[in-house]
Amino acid sequence: MSSLSSNQEEQQRPVSEYRILALYRFIPLVTPQTNQSTTQESWDEQTIMKHPERHPQLLQLQSELYATLRRYETRGTLLIAPEGINGTICYPYPPPTAVDDDDGNDGNNVGEYDNEDDPVKSFISNHPLFGGEGLRTRSSVWKEHQTHDDCDDNNIIKNSKNSRSDSITSDTTTTQQTNNNRPQQAFQRLKIKIKPEIVTLGLGRPITNTTTHTPTPIPQRHAYNQLANPNITKGQYLNPKQWDDAMKDPNVLVIDTRNSYEIDIGSFESAVDPRTRHFSEFPEYLERLAGEFDWSQRDQEQQQQGEDKKKQEQGSDNNGDGSNDTSSNEQTTKKKAPPTAIAMFCTGGIRCEKATSYALQSNLFPQNLPIYHLEGGILSYLD
């Protein structure tokens, strides 16, 4: 084993730059299994959601990620959960050929990744469990020259915009000179955490009855989040041009799914601010929002359009009953006219993907109401 620590070796080895890789994918990483024997723990869906940190498949994946990423002096945070993977990591480039690990291995088992141009990105992108076409990544170069004293206790550079799992780091031109003026790591350490969710919408929390504001019984406490599974359904992606067209339509309700402190920095002009402090408050916001609209009015309008079209096809010119129908629809109501569609967006795509999943699976809105989200979030829109 080398007499130098990995941090010392990193300081001595020439590093031209540090690369940032932000990634996420909703994909089932575990499957429910019935109890096969009295000595084995049963992993039904409820047990998986309650205790993901004990699941053998997630523990094995965590060990594999730690072992491989440490060889390349990678730092940052990855979240793995039954629903997928999410996080941001930083690593030196060119990569080291081998790094001693904590178990005393000499690093020679890096193997097939040694000759890759970017072995870290190759390892992540081609991983058999979460890699492939569905994995969403964003790469950039970390250009800051900072000491680790600039990091907070959560392993994040102070004032950096990648302090949330849904915020994807982009290129920055900010430089702060240090004594040696060498590129510095963006993070203090590598953390790979097993969580109930890769972006928290409320798994494991009691459902709150909005009428009585009392929690539901404990046996039902996980049902809330089961209505937000992007692996089952999610909104329709819109590319930047389609998104611009949607925002021009005054009948499309545009919702910013980010938290208030993020929205205060800037948002699309026509977007609605849910005024949430945490993403876990978003389902309750959607429940209130759905109650603001008169969805029966939308059904009546669609029904009337269908009848008008049918009359036109039949060549009918009846005007006798139209006035009666119109007068019945002119009843005053306190509820607003409903939108023709809902479009959501966030920073990097992960949060709005889960938000549209909840909107679709919660049955808060009519089943035929189109629900969209901006593909890749604001960052992809700005590219």
Side-chain angles (χ1 to χ4, degrees):
M1 177 181 290
S2 171
S3 60
L4 294 176
S5 68
S6 60
N7 288 343
Q8 290 173 320
E9 291 180 355
E10 186 176 343
Q11 291 296 323
Q12 292 188 1
R13 184 176 53 81
V15 176
S16 60
E17 66 185 27
Y18 281 90
R19 294 186 175 184
I20 294 281
L21 180 63
L23 61 123
Y24 84 88
R25 185 179 185 181
F26 286 104
I27 185 171
L29 295 182
V30 299
T31 54
Q33 296 177 350
T34 57
N35 192 5
Q36 299 177 352
S37 70
T38 56
T39 60
Q40 293 180 337
E41 186 172 8
S42 178
W43 286 104
D44 55 26
E45 187 172 358
Q46 188 174 11
T47 304
I48 291 174
M49 289 190 294
K50 282 185 176 181
H51 304 291
E53 74 284 353
R54 298 204 317 241
H55 197 283
Q57 289 177 281
L58 294 178
L59 289 170
Q60 182 178 359
L61 176 59
Q62 181 187 48
S63 298
E64 179 199 359
L65 291 173
Y66 265 128
T68 302
L69 294 178
R70 280 172 172 166
R71 295 171 195 156
Y72 295 105
E73 300 171 356
T74 304
R75 302 181 192 176
T77 301
L78 290 178
L79 305 181
I80 55 177
E83 67 179 4
I85 185 170
N86 173 38
T88 304
I89 54 178
C90 179
Y91 53 94
Y93 190 86
T97 55
V99 176
D100 292 355
D101 60 28
D102 294 339
D103 297 327
N105 298 322
D106 60 5
N108 293 328
N109 54 349
V110 174
E112 59 182 304
Y113 301 108
D114 275 340
N115 298 323
E116 297 287 343
D117 178 58
D118 190 332
V120 175
K121 188 173 183 179
S122 176
F123 167 71
I124 294 293
S125 300
N126 298 312
H127 196 279
L129 292 182
F130 54 79
E133 185 178 355
L135 179 67
R136 297 191 171 272
T137 62
R138 186 174 185 84
S139 300
S140 59
V141 176
W142 179 253
K143 296 181 179 179
E144 298 242 3
H145 295 252
Q146 295 178 308
T147 65
H148 297 315
D149 292 337
D150 296 318
C151 297
D152 62 18
D153 293 336
N154 294 319
N155 195 31
I156 305 296
I157 293 291
K158 294 176 182 178
N159 301 322
S160 173
K161 293 183 180 180
N162 65 344
S163 59
R164 294 280 175 175
S165 61
D166 189 41
S167 298
I168 311 299
T169 306
S170 58
D171 287 354
T172 174
T173 56
T174 304
T175 58
Q176 297 183 8
Q177 301 298 325
T178 60
N179 292 334
N180 54 16
N181 197 27
R182 296 177 69 252
Q184 300 295 312
Q185 258 280 2
F187 306 106
Q188 284 185 307
R189 61 186 67 87
L190 177 63
K191 298 180 181 179
I192 301 173
K193 302 179 180 180
I194 300 176
K195 295 287 187 178
E197 301 173 86
I198 58 174
V199 56
T200 303
L201 194 58
L203 180 60
R205 301 183 182 183
I207 306 174
T208 299
N209 186 314
T210 55
T211 303
T212 63
H213 298 284
T214 57
T216 58
I218 294 298
Q220 300 297 323
R221 65 184 299 169
H222 296 281
Y224 198 71
N225 185 260
Q226 292 178 18
L227 299 176
N229 186 352
N231 291 313
I232 295 177
T233 186
K234 58 189 175 185
Q236 179 180 340
Y237 288 127
L238 294 182
N239 61 37
K241 184 181 183 307
Q242 294 170 324
W243 181 260
D244 287 338
D245 293 339
M247 287 200 302
K248 294 176 184 177
D249 187 343
N251 295 316
V252 174
L253 177 63
V254 180
I255 303 176
D256 193 334
T257 66
R258 298 175 300 160
N259 298 324
S260 294
Y261 72 92
E262 298 168 297
I263 297 176
D264 289 342
I265 298 175
S267 185
F268 289 106
E269 185 175 356
S270 60
V272 174
D273 180 2
R275 305 307 301 174
T276 56
R277 294 173 300 170
H278 308 284
F279 188 48
S280 57
E281 299 173 358
F282 192 76
E284 187 176 352
Y285 160 75
L286 278 188
E287 292 170 8
R288 296 195 305 269
L289 177 71
E292 295 178 3
F293 299 103
D294 182 7
W295 299 106
S296 63
Q297 178 180 340
R298 181 175 183 270
D299 295 337
Q300 292 172 359
E301 291 176 353
Q302 291 181 342
Q303 182 179 0
Q304 186 63 43
Q305 291 174 359
E307 292 177 355
D308 292 342
K309 183 177 180 181
K310 185 176 180 180
K311 288 179 180 180
Q312 291 177 359
E313 292 175 351
Q314 294 176 349
S316 174
D317 191 25
N318 296 329
N319 296 320
D321 298 330
S323 58
N324 293 333
D325 294 337
T326 303
S327 61
S328 64
N329 291 332
E330 290 178 351
Q331 298 177 353
T332 58
T333 177
K334 294 182 180 180
K335 293 190 175 183
K336 299 183 291 187
T340 59
I342 294 178
M344 303 185 190
F345 69 95
C346 54
T347 305
I350 183 172
R351 208 178 306 184
C352 45
E353 190 166 324
K354 195 162 189 178
T356 60
S357 176
Y358 177 79
L360 288 167
Q361 294 178 259
S362 62
N363 294 323
L364 291 171
F365 305 99
Q367 292 184 355
N368 57 354
L369 179 70
I371 296 182
Y372 307 113
H373 58 119
L374 178 59
E375 185 173 12
I378 297 173
L379 294 176
S380 292
Y381 178 84
L382 296 176
D383 283 344

